Amino acid sequence: MPKNARAAEIKAIGIGKSFGHFRALNDLTLDIGRGEFLALLGPSGSGKTTFLMILAGFLPPSDGRLFSDGVDITDRPAELRAAGMVFQGYALFPHMSVEANIAFPLKVRKRPAAEIRQRVAEMIARVGLKGHETKLPSQLSGGQQQRVALARALVFEPGVLLLDEPFSALDKSLRGQMQAEMKRLHQETGTTFVFVTHDQSEALALASRIAIFNHGELLQVGTPEEVYDRPANRFVAEFLGEINMLPLNNVRQENGAATGLCEDRTITVRGATDVTGDAVLAVRPEYMTIRSEAESGENGIVATTTASTYLGAATKLDLLTRQGTRLTVSVPNDVAATALRGGNSVWLTWPAERGILLAR
Amino acid sequence: MAPLLLFLAVTYLWPFLGVVKWSFTLPEPGLGQYGALITDPLVQSVFIRTLRICIVVTIASVIAAYAITVVWVRGTPAQRMAAEFCILIPFWISVLTRAFGWVALLSNRGLINTWLQGIGFISEPLALVRNEFGVIVGMTHFLVPFAVFPLASAMRNLDDRVLLAARGLGSSRTRTFWTIFVPMTASGIIGAAAIVFVFALGFFVTPAILGGGRSVMVAELVWLRIFQSPDWGLGAAISVVLVLFVGALMAVLFRYVRPRQLI
Ligand SMILES: Nc1ncnc2c1ncn2[C@@H]1O[C@H](COP(=O)(O)OP(=O)(O)OP(=O)(O)O)[C@@H](O)[C@H]1O
Ligand SMILES: [Mg+2]
């Protein structure tokens, strides 16, 4: 990734936002690195847009300070922050052509006409809008409008690009294509990107780091691998993809591993965690294997198959443990067929380092 | 629908056809009255004055209404209330009362002249009424509320995010207003201007009172021809031309603006 000197480094310290008595954001502290591609991920109403609006300067925070490259910008109005923003629904200027839309931020900055013409043409080529220069936004498809919005937000080389659910209005195939383009634009420009999404697969695929929100709280920030494999709590674990949860009792920590009891069997969990007592063990379905027997000392649990769903490349099995916990695994079709033939009762096993121990 | 159309036909169309008939038959059958329309310098000066007044009134009303509507649609709750009062109160006062109210304000011994003389700003009273100025003030005051509704509907349909986008791209509030807000409410401006202009063309009471007989507009001229100097044929011909002109204007307008955008 080319280092971009203009890319901004943002520091949010203790940011809070209240609407009347309603607390939409609470004590949010977050560092956004230079040239980073950060995803803000969370369910509807969790405060993602609110935080983005505070970053852009459209909403004043109720508490906390915001710094850009070490300068306090909390009270700086939006028009002086030089953040590019792509809104949900794009918010293009309907009475201006594609060219005029993209030229707008440069005109506002009173750049010379020749420079404007050249940069707009460059940007139009870069987002693949050649031949559409004189059209109005209403004459463009959704994907093309999206590209105009991106071009308009990037043409003035902002320190940070903010995107609010940029792909939610696009159909699935177009979304994939635009995601790839956005990744390329990020690499080419080297600008700091912050984008909001409530699609966890989009966040995992695009972002260099993910910040997970719920009820106005920032729950965890980390690389996709960190938040997926080492979720900080049950919410994050369940929000990012499918996960199986098993109660794990009498958890004790000894020499770098935790052991506990799950349905009369001793289970070992390896990895950094300090949970003790009664806890929850979380295991991603893809790390679970179906076997007819488990070796002694191996992590495993007995379950019976209750349903199977053929997915084409694999089969999804729904299972029930003896004490009534529901589990799901995705296995190769032939393994599923064997499991279903063998009287339904099977062993599910997983490596000790794949277990995630969470407070109950 | 059908009874309404029948009602309109009986109350408007039938009498109007009578007027059309007069214009071709009085005082003698023929096109003589339409010929007089083109040659009579008095009729022509009234037509020109009417157009001039209507254009000025339209511009003044739309500008004033635009300012009020911005406050009404986008202001704080208190500002909205104030704007609502400005819009609604005129509807509760009859056109006659309002015209005489303006006379009381604008006449030589009216509030404004007395006050300006009192503070020594002027020595002779300003001629504010019984002329075109008075007519324009009175008509604008009457017509502003009618311009508010098409403007308000255009402003309500505007997506706030577009304005935020402009500011985020570095545009000041003033610049955003002129380059984004105003162009995006153009349909409302056109609708408001059309309504005001068409209404203004047919104004009678306000110009008659505030013009003091010196700024006669078309409607007053029709009245004069029919009730004062009985010349029914010419009065009828003027009416027919006025109706055709308004009809043509509406036809052009509805080609560009959907009727829904006017209310
Ligand atoms: N102007 C406002 N006045 C009152 N409450 C607001 C306002 N803006 C947002 N909220 C509330 O703040 C909370 C967070 O809203 P926000 O728009 O940030 O959520 P979000 O995470 O972006 O959700 P979504 O994924 O649905 O867009 C919501 O409960 C919302 O109702
Ligand atoms: Mg949102």
Side-chain angles (χ1 to χ4, degrees), chain B residues 217-233:
Chain B
M217 286 176 69
V218 162
E220 197 182 351
L221 183 65
V222 171
W223 181 79
L224 288 172
R225 281 293 161 273
I226 290 183
F227 290 97
Q228 303 271 307
S229 63
D231 187 357
W232 286 31

Side-chain angles (χ1 to χ4, degrees), chain A residues 49 88 164-165 196:
Chain A
T49 299
Q88 206 171 347
D164 194 358
E165 309 215 12
V196 166

